[in-house]
Amino acid sequence: HRSGVLCVNFSGDGQRLVSASSDKTARVWSAGSFGECLSVLRGHRKDVSWATFSPEDSEILTSSDDRSVIFWDAETFLRLQTVGQPQRINCVSYACDGHHIALAFRTKEAVIWRVERPLRTADFVPTVLRQRADAFAVAW
């Protein structure tokens, strides 16, 4: 990365890592070859706040200060879907079932999406969880 790393997560099989950076990219790394960069994921216009693998390691999910979430194919590294949000996103997390995603916003909210396959924007059904302070992280 060319700027600060904000997040790093292992794939479920432990073979890869994905990192998010204030250089507006996420990078996929080989965990077993001393940091070989497998791909640079470009598509966000501002800091990438979080990056994570789906439970089955088939997708990568990134969130950004540009108020978007991007789904990536974890094998080809192609962008599958971009979903805009009304506020900046601190963190995203897949549920173990791969059909629910939690997002933490900087506006005292966390949202849970139900995600249908194949991905289509209309299939993101949110449940909003309000709290007293900003949501910095979410986890299942």
Side-chain angles (χ1 to χ4, degrees):
H1 286 289
R2 296 180 181 199
S3 193
V5 175
L6 304 175
C7 159
V8 64
N9 281 300
F10 275 99
S11 59
D13 64 8
Q15 299 299 307
R16 296 177 291 171
L17 296 128
V18 62
S19 57
S21 173
S22 56
D23 68 4
K24 305 176 191 174
T25 70
R27 294 179 188 240
V28 183
W29 308 88
S30 171
S33 59
F34 302 103
E36 175 191 359
C37 184
L38 303 174
S39 184
V40 179
L41 306 178
R42 291 182 174 91
H44 289 291
R45 296 180 317 277
K46 294 187 178 180
D47 296 0
V48 178
S49 56
W50 204 265
T52 190
F53 284 90
S54 63
E56 67 284 348
D57 292 337
S58 64
E59 294 173 353
I60 296 169
L61 187 61
T62 58
S63 63
S64 172
D65 285 353
D66 68 6
R67 301 176 181 197
S68 72
V69 173
I70 300 178
F71 293 82
W72 307 86
D73 184 293
E75 297 303 319
T76 65
F77 307 115
L78 295 174
R79 187 188 319 205
L80 299 172
Q81 177 86 26
T82 302
V83 182
Q85 291 299 294
Q87 57 261 2
R88 293 187 308 170
I89 306 154
N90 283 334
C91 176
V92 291
S93 178
Y94 274 96
C96 293
D97 67 5
H99 291 283
H100 293 86
I101 295 168
L103 294 87
F105 295 110
R106 295 185 187 178
T107 57
K108 301 180 178 136
E109 289 182 349
V111 171
I112 298 172
W113 284 345
R114 177 169 164 70
V115 181
E116 297 295 334
R117 302 285 190 251
L119 292 170
R120 290 186 302 268
T121 303
D123 292 334
F124 297 98
V125 180
T127 299
V128 178
L129 310 171
R130 299 193 194 285
Q131 52 195 36
R132 292 184 173 176
D134 291 352
F136 287 102
V138 289
W140 288 97

PDB file of all heavy atoms in Angstrom, residues 18-47:
ATOM      1  N   VAL A  18      -6.749 -10.090   3.017  1.00  0.00           N
ATOM      2  CA  VAL A  18      -7.184  -8.904   2.290  1.00  0.00           C
ATOM      3  C   VAL A  18      -6.968  -7.711   3.221  1.00  0.00           C
ATOM      4  O   VAL A  18      -7.254  -7.784   4.418  1.00  0.00           O
ATOM      5  CB  VAL A  18      -8.651  -9.013   1.805  1.00  0.00           C
ATOM      6  CG1 VAL A  18      -9.623  -9.147   2.962  1.00  0.00           C
ATOM      7  CG2 VAL A  18      -9.023  -7.844   0.908  1.00  0.00           C
ATOM      8  N   SER A  19      -6.393  -6.636   2.678  1.00  0.00           N
ATOM      9  CA  SER A  19      -6.126  -5.440   3.469  1.00  0.00           C
ATOM     10  C   SER A  19      -6.845  -4.249   2.844  1.00  0.00           C
ATOM     11  O   SER A  19      -7.044  -4.190   1.629  1.00  0.00           O
ATOM     12  CB  SER A  19      -4.616  -5.168   3.540  1.00  0.00           C
ATOM     13  OG  SER A  19      -4.066  -5.043   2.246  1.00  0.00           O
ATOM     14  N   ALA A  20      -7.241  -3.315   3.696  1.00  0.00           N
ATOM     15  CA  ALA A  20      -7.903  -2.082   3.266  1.00  0.00           C
ATOM     16  C   ALA A  20      -7.006  -0.915   3.624  1.00  0.00           C
ATOM     17  O   ALA A  20      -6.349  -0.930   4.669  1.00  0.00           O
ATOM     18  CB  ALA A  20      -9.253  -1.943   3.956  1.00  0.00           C
ATOM     19  N   SER A  21      -6.991   0.115   2.774  1.00  0.00           N
ATOM     20  CA  SER A  21      -6.033   1.197   2.983  1.00  0.00           C
ATOM     21  C   SER A  21      -6.612   2.568   2.671  1.00  0.00           C
ATOM     22  O   SER A  21      -7.552   2.711   1.884  1.00  0.00           O
ATOM     23  CB  SER A  21      -4.800   0.955   2.096  1.00  0.00           C
ATOM     24  OG  SER A  21      -3.916   2.045   2.128  1.00  0.00           O
ATOM     25  N   SER A  22      -5.978   3.569   3.261  1.00  0.00           N
ATOM     26  CA  SER A  22      -6.332   4.955   2.960  1.00  0.00           C
ATOM     27  C   SER A  22      -5.792   5.383   1.597  1.00  0.00           C
ATOM     28  O   SER A  22      -6.007   6.514   1.183  1.00  0.00           O
ATOM     29  CB  SER A  22      -5.849   5.889   4.066  1.00  0.00           C
ATOM     30  OG  SER A  22      -4.469   5.747   4.271  1.00  0.00           O
ATOM     31  N   ASP A  23      -5.117   4.483   0.865  1.00  0.00           N
ATOM     32  CA  ASP A  23      -4.697   4.791  -0.510  1.00  0.00           C
ATOM     33  C   ASP A  23      -5.803   4.492  -1.527  1.00  0.00           C
ATOM     34  O   ASP A  23      -5.565   4.482  -2.729  1.00  0.00           O
ATOM     35  CB  ASP A  23      -3.406   4.062  -0.876  1.00  0.00           C
ATOM     36  CG  ASP A  23      -3.546   2.548  -0.986  1.00  0.00           C
ATOM     37  OD1 ASP A  23      -4.672   2.017  -0.850  1.00  0.00           O
ATOM     38  OD2 ASP A  23      -2.519   1.884  -1.193  1.00  0.00           O
ATOM     39  N   LYS A  24      -7.039   4.244  -1.039  1.00  0.00           N
ATOM     40  CA  LYS A  24      -8.236   3.998  -1.851  1.00  0.00           C
ATOM     41  C   LYS A  24      -8.258   2.610  -2.489  1.00  0.00           C
ATOM     42  O   LYS A  24      -9.021   2.364  -3.417  1.00  0.00           O
ATOM     43  CB  LYS A  24      -8.410   5.067  -2.945  1.00  0.00           C
ATOM     44  CG  LYS A  24      -8.438   6.487  -2.446  1.00  0.00           C
ATOM     45  CD  LYS A  24      -8.510   7.455  -3.597  1.00  0.00           C
ATOM     46  CE  LYS A  24      -8.279   8.869  -3.112  1.00  0.00           C
ATOM     47  NZ  LYS A  24      -8.203   9.818  -4.211  1.00  0.00           N
ATOM     48  N   THR A  25      -7.410   1.698  -2.009  1.00  0.00           N
ATOM     49  CA  THR A  25      -7.394   0.346  -2.561  1.00  0.00           C
ATOM     50  C   THR A  25      -7.550  -0.692  -1.458  1.00  0.00           C
ATOM     51  O   THR A  25      -7.321  -0.416  -0.281  1.00  0.00           O
ATOM     52  CB  THR A  25      -6.075   0.032  -3.302  1.00  0.00           C
ATOM     53  OG1 THR A  25      -5.006  -0.079  -2.353  1.00  0.00           O
ATOM     54  CG2 THR A  25      -5.754   1.066  -4.359  1.00  0.00           C
ATOM     55  N   ALA A  26      -7.926  -1.881  -1.878  1.00  0.00           N
ATOM     56  CA  ALA A  26      -7.813  -3.088  -1.054  1.00  0.00           C
ATOM     57  C   ALA A  26      -6.857  -3.988  -1.816  1.00  0.00           C
ATOM     58  O   ALA A  26      -6.785  -3.932  -3.045  1.00  0.00           O
ATOM     59  CB  ALA A  26      -9.167  -3.755  -0.870  1.00  0.00           C
ATOM     60  N   ARG A  27      -6.099  -4.790  -1.084  1.00  0.00           N
ATOM     61  CA  ARG A  27      -5.148  -5.695  -1.725  1.00  0.00           C
ATOM     62  C   ARG A  27      -5.342  -7.099  -1.180  1.00  0.00           C
ATOM     63  O   ARG A  27      -5.610  -7.281   0.001  1.00  0.00           O
ATOM     64  CB  ARG A  27      -3.712  -5.233  -1.497  1.00  0.00           C
ATOM     65  CG  ARG A  27      -3.453  -3.901  -2.194  1.00  0.00           C
ATOM     66  CD  ARG A  27      -2.047  -3.399  -1.976  1.00  0.00           C
ATOM     67  NE  ARG A  27      -1.951  -2.042  -2.508  1.00  0.00           N
ATOM     68  CZ  ARG A  27      -1.118  -1.667  -3.469  1.00  0.00           C
ATOM     69  NH1 ARG A  27      -0.292  -2.536  -3.997  1.00  0.00           N
ATOM     70  NH2 ARG A  27      -1.110  -0.423  -3.892  1.00  0.00           N
ATOM     71  N   VAL A  28      -5.180  -8.061  -2.079  1.00  0.00           N
ATOM     72  CA  VAL A  28      -5.273  -9.466  -1.707  1.00  0.00           C
ATOM     73  C   VAL A  28      -3.862 -10.031  -1.718  1.00  0.00           C
ATOM     74  O   VAL A  28      -3.107  -9.825  -2.678  1.00  0.00           O
ATOM     75  CB  VAL A  28      -6.181 -10.251  -2.680  1.00  0.00           C
ATOM     76  CG1 VAL A  28      -6.319 -11.697  -2.228  1.00  0.00           C
ATOM     77  CG2 VAL A  28      -7.553  -9.583  -2.790  1.00  0.00           C
ATOM     78  N   TRP A  29      -3.513 -10.724  -0.623  1.00  0.00           N
ATOM     79  CA  TRP A  29      -2.157 -11.212  -0.422  1.00  0.00           C
ATOM     80  C   TRP A  29      -2.154 -12.718  -0.236  1.00  0.00           C
ATOM     81  O   TRP A  29      -3.092 -13.272   0.327  1.00  0.00           O
ATOM     82  CB  TRP A  29      -1.554 -10.581   0.834  1.00  0.00           C
ATOM     83  CG  TRP A  29      -1.623  -9.098   0.890  1.00  0.00           C
ATOM     84  CD1 TRP A  29      -2.656  -8.348   1.380  1.00  0.00           C
ATOM     85  CD2 TRP A  29      -0.634  -8.172   0.452  1.00  0.00           C
ATOM     86  NE1 TRP A  29      -2.362  -7.009   1.273  1.00  0.00           N
ATOM     87  CE2 TRP A  29      -1.121  -6.872   0.704  1.00  0.00           C
ATOM     88  CE3 TRP A  29       0.637  -8.327  -0.130  1.00  0.00           C
ATOM     89  CZ2 TRP A  29      -0.390  -5.732   0.393  1.00  0.00           C
ATOM     90  CZ3 TRP A  29       1.360  -7.177  -0.426  1.00  0.00           C
ATOM     91  CH2 TRP A  29       0.846  -5.901  -0.177  1.00  0.00           C
ATOM     92  N   SER A  30      -1.093 -13.353  -0.652  1.00  0.00           N
ATOM     93  CA  SER A  30      -0.882 -14.758  -0.340  1.00  0.00           C
ATOM     94  C   SER A  30      -0.353 -14.835   1.085  1.00  0.00           C
ATOM     95  O   SER A  30       0.602 -14.143   1.433  1.00  0.00           O
ATOM     96  CB  SER A  30       0.122 -15.370  -1.308  1.00  0.00           C
ATOM     97  OG  SER A  30       0.465 -16.664  -0.877  1.00  0.00           O
ATOM     98  N   ALA A  31      -0.966 -15.670   1.900  1.00  0.00           N
ATOM     99  CA  ALA A  31      -0.522 -15.798   3.290  1.00  0.00           C
ATOM    100  C   ALA A  31       0.711 -16.687   3.408  1.00  0.00           C
ATOM    101  O   ALA A  31       1.405 -16.652   4.412  1.00  0.00           O
ATOM    102  CB  ALA A  31      -1.645 -16.357   4.159  1.00  0.00           C
ATOM    103  N   GLY A  32       1.001 -17.480   2.372  1.00  0.00           N
ATOM    104  CA  GLY A  32       2.085 -18.437   2.473  1.00  0.00           C
ATOM    105  C   GLY A  32       3.340 -18.103   1.695  1.00  0.00           C
ATOM    106  O   GLY A  32       4.286 -18.850   1.714  1.00  0.00           O
ATOM    107  N   SER A  33       3.357 -16.990   0.995  1.00  0.00           N
ATOM    108  CA  SER A  33       4.527 -16.683   0.165  1.00  0.00           C
ATOM    109  C   SER A  33       5.162 -15.354   0.553  1.00  0.00           C
ATOM    110  O   SER A  33       5.582 -14.587  -0.298  1.00  0.00           O
ATOM    111  CB  SER A  33       4.157 -16.695  -1.313  1.00  0.00           C
ATOM    112  OG  SER A  33       3.145 -15.737  -1.566  1.00  0.00           O
ATOM    113  N   PHE A  34       5.189 -15.096   1.839  1.00  0.00           N
ATOM    114  CA  PHE A  34       5.860 -13.907   2.364  1.00  0.00           C
ATOM    115  C   PHE A  34       5.352 -12.609   1.750  1.00  0.00           C
ATOM    116  O   PHE A  34       6.120 -11.761   1.314  1.00  0.00           O
ATOM    117  CB  PHE A  34       7.378 -14.028   2.211  1.00  0.00           C
ATOM    118  CG  PHE A  34       7.929 -15.240   2.901  1.00  0.00           C
ATOM    119  CD1 PHE A  34       8.280 -16.360   2.173  1.00  0.00           C
ATOM    120  CD2 PHE A  34       8.032 -15.279   4.283  1.00  0.00           C
ATOM    121  CE1 PHE A  34       8.760 -17.494   2.814  1.00  0.00           C
ATOM    122  CE2 PHE A  34       8.510 -16.402   4.927  1.00  0.00           C
ATOM    123  CZ  PHE A  34       8.871 -17.518   4.196  1.00  0.00           C
ATOM    124  N   GLY A  35       4.049 -12.497   1.670  1.00  0.00           N
ATOM    125  CA  GLY A  35       3.451 -11.233   1.282  1.00  0.00           C
ATOM    126  C   GLY A  35       3.336 -10.964  -0.197  1.00  0.00           C
ATOM    127  O   GLY A  35       3.301  -9.807  -0.604  1.00  0.00           O
ATOM    128  N   GLU A  36       3.227 -11.994  -1.022  1.00  0.00           N
ATOM    129  CA  GLU A  36       3.028 -11.764  -2.449  1.00  0.00           C
ATOM    130  C   GLU A  36       1.660 -11.140  -2.664  1.00  0.00           C
ATOM    131  O   GLU A  36       0.632 -11.679  -2.220  1.00  0.00           O
ATOM    132  CB  GLU A  36       3.117 -13.080  -3.216  1.00  0.00           C
ATOM    133  CG  GLU A  36       2.792 -12.930  -4.690  1.00  0.00           C
ATOM    134  CD  GLU A  36       2.626 -14.261  -5.398  1.00  0.00           C
ATOM    135  OE1 GLU A  36       2.771 -15.323  -4.770  1.00  0.00           O
ATOM    136  OE2 GLU A  36       2.326 -14.219  -6.601  1.00  0.00           O
ATOM    137  N   CYS A  37       1.610 -10.001  -3.345  1.00  0.00           N
ATOM    138  CA  CYS A  37       0.340  -9.341  -3.651  1.00  0.00           C
ATOM    139  C   CYS A  37      -0.280 -10.023  -4.865  1.00  0.00           C
ATOM    140  O   CYS A  37       0.307 -10.052  -5.945  1.00  0.00           O
ATOM    141  CB  CYS A  37       0.554  -7.858  -3.923  1.00  0.00           C
ATOM    142  SG  CYS A  37      -0.994  -6.967  -4.203  1.00  0.00           S
ATOM    143  N   LEU A  38      -1.469 -10.587  -4.672  1.00  0.00           N
ATOM    144  CA  LEU A  38      -2.162 -11.295  -5.740  1.00  0.00           C
ATOM    145  C   LEU A  38      -2.997 -10.363  -6.604  1.00  0.00           C
ATOM    146  O   LEU A  38      -3.195 -10.615  -7.786  1.00  0.00           O
ATOM    147  CB  LEU A  38      -3.054 -12.387  -5.144  1.00  0.00           C
ATOM    148  CG  LEU A  38      -2.354 -13.425  -4.269  1.00  0.00           C
ATOM    149  CD1 LEU A  38      -3.371 -14.354  -3.636  1.00  0.00           C
ATOM    150  CD2 LEU A  38      -1.327 -14.203  -5.088  1.00  0.00           C
ATOM    151  N   SER A  39      -3.511  -9.283  -5.999  1.00  0.00           N
ATOM    152  CA  SER A  39      -4.337  -8.340  -6.754  1.00  0.00           C
ATOM    153  C   SER A  39      -4.509  -7.045  -5.979  1.00  0.00           C
ATOM    154  O   SER A  39      -4.514  -7.041  -4.744  1.00  0.00           O
ATOM    155  CB  SER A  39      -5.714  -8.936  -7.042  1.00  0.00           C
ATOM    156  OG  SER A  39      -6.477  -8.062  -7.850  1.00  0.00           O
ATOM    157  N   VAL A  40      -4.660  -5.954  -6.709  1.00  0.00           N
ATOM    158  CA  VAL A  40      -5.024  -4.660  -6.142  1.00  0.00           C
ATOM    159  C   VAL A  40      -6.447  -4.371  -6.591  1.00  0.00           C
ATOM    160  O   VAL A  40      -6.731  -4.352  -7.796  1.00  0.00           O
ATOM    161  CB  VAL A  40      -4.067  -3.537  -6.617  1.00  0.00           C
ATOM    162  CG1 VAL A  40      -4.495  -2.197  -6.038  1.00  0.00           C
ATOM    163  CG2 VAL A  40      -2.628  -3.865  -6.248  1.00  0.00           C
ATOM    164  N   LEU A  41      -7.355  -4.184  -5.634  1.00  0.00           N
ATOM    165  CA  LEU A  41      -8.766  -3.920  -5.925  1.00  0.00           C
ATOM    166  C   LEU A  41      -8.987  -2.413  -5.931  1.00  0.00           C
ATOM    167  O   LEU A  41      -8.905  -1.764  -4.886  1.00  0.00           O
ATOM    168  CB  LEU A  41      -9.656  -4.598  -4.881  1.00  0.00           C
ATOM    169  CG  LEU A  41      -9.432  -6.099  -4.685  1.00  0.00           C
ATOM    170  CD1 LEU A  41     -10.344  -6.629  -3.580  1.00  0.00           C
ATOM    171  CD2 LEU A  41      -9.642  -6.862  -5.974  1.00  0.00           C
ATOM    172  N   ARG A  42      -9.234  -1.875  -7.113  1.00  0.00           N
ATOM    173  CA  ARG A  42      -9.456  -0.433  -7.279  1.00  0.00           C
ATOM    174  C   ARG A  42     -10.907  -0.194  -7.672  1.00  0.00           C
ATOM    175  O   ARG A  42     -11.430  -0.880  -8.538  1.00  0.00           O
ATOM    176  CB  ARG A  42      -8.542   0.119  -8.359  1.00  0.00           C
ATOM    177  CG  ARG A  42      -7.090   0.126  -7.985  1.00  0.00           C
ATOM    178  CD  ARG A  42      -6.241   0.750  -9.105  1.00  0.00           C
ATOM    179  NE  ARG A  42      -4.859   0.894  -8.680  1.00  0.00           N
ATOM    180  CZ  ARG A  42      -3.920  -0.024  -8.869  1.00  0.00           C
ATOM    181  NH1 ARG A  42      -4.225  -1.164  -9.474  1.00  0.00           N
ATOM    182  NH2 ARG A  42      -2.686   0.191  -8.461  1.00  0.00           N
ATOM    183  N   GLY A  43     -11.534   0.781  -7.062  1.00  0.00           N
ATOM    184  CA  GLY A  43     -12.919   1.091  -7.392  1.00  0.00           C
ATOM    185  C   GLY A  43     -13.517   2.119  -6.454  1.00  0.00           C
ATOM    186  O   GLY A  43     -14.513   2.752  -6.785  1.00  0.00           O
ATOM    187  N   HIS A  44     -12.924   2.284  -5.286  1.00  0.00           N
ATOM    188  CA  HIS A  44     -13.407   3.285  -4.338  1.00  0.00           C
ATOM    189  C   HIS A  44     -12.735   4.631  -4.617  1.00  0.00           C
ATOM    190  O   HIS A  44     -11.594   4.692  -5.077  1.00  0.00           O
ATOM    191  CB  HIS A  44     -13.112   2.848  -2.903  1.00  0.00           C
ATOM    192  CG  HIS A  44     -13.967   1.699  -2.449  1.00  0.00           C
ATOM    193  ND1 HIS A  44     -15.327   1.817  -2.220  1.00  0.00           N
ATOM    194  CD2 HIS A  44     -13.654   0.404  -2.175  1.00  0.00           C
ATOM    195  CE1 HIS A  44     -15.810   0.656  -1.821  1.00  0.00           C
ATOM    196  NE2 HIS A  44     -14.808  -0.230  -1.788  1.00  0.00           N
ATOM    197  N   ARG A  45     -13.437   5.722  -4.308  1.00  0.00           N
ATOM    198  CA  ARG A  45     -12.925   7.071  -4.537  1.00  0.00           C
ATOM    199  C   ARG A  45     -12.284   7.686  -3.300  1.00  0.00           C
ATOM    200  O   ARG A  45     -11.655   8.736  -3.383  1.00  0.00           O
ATOM    201  CB  ARG A  45     -14.051   7.974  -5.041  1.00  0.00           C
ATOM    202  CG  ARG A  45     -14.606   7.540  -6.388  1.00  0.00           C
ATOM    203  CD  ARG A  45     -15.731   8.432  -6.891  1.00  0.00           C
ATOM    204  NE  ARG A  45     -16.708   8.794  -5.878  1.00  0.00           N
ATOM    205  CZ  ARG A  45     -17.738   8.048  -5.510  1.00  0.00           C
ATOM    206  NH1 ARG A  45     -17.935   6.874  -6.042  1.00  0.00           N
ATOM    207  NH2 ARG A  45     -18.585   8.474  -4.604  1.00  0.00           N
ATOM    208  N   LYS A  46     -12.464   7.044  -2.132  1.00  0.00           N
ATOM    209  CA  LYS A  46     -11.875   7.532  -0.874  1.00  0.00           C
ATOM    210  C   LYS A  46     -11.299   6.344  -0.116  1.00  0.00           C
ATOM    211  O   LYS A  46     -11.292   5.224  -0.625  1.00  0.00           O
ATOM    212  CB  LYS A  46     -12.923   8.269  -0.038  1.00  0.00           C
ATOM    213  CG  LYS A  46     -13.405   9.564  -0.677  1.00  0.00           C
ATOM    214  CD  LYS A  46     -14.303  10.338   0.263  1.00  0.00           C
ATOM    215  CE  LYS A  46     -14.727  11.654  -0.370  1.00  0.00           C
ATOM    216  NZ  LYS A  46     -15.595  12.412   0.533  1.00  0.00           N
ATOM    217  N   ASP A  47     -10.837   6.590   1.122  1.00  0.00           N
ATOM    218  CA  ASP A  47     -10.245   5.530   1.944  1.00  0.00           C
ATOM    219  C   ASP A  47     -11.113   4.276   1.946  1.00  0.00           C
ATOM    220  O   ASP A  47     -12.336   4.364   2.082  1.00  0.00           O
ATOM    221  CB  ASP A  47     -10.113   5.975   3.408  1.00  0.00           C
ATOM    222  CG  ASP A  47      -9.168   7.131   3.614  1.00  0.00           C
ATOM    223  OD1 ASP A  47      -8.583   7.624   2.629  1.00  0.00           O
ATOM    224  OD2 ASP A  47      -9.011   7.538   4.776  1.00  0.00           O
TER     225      ASP A  47
END
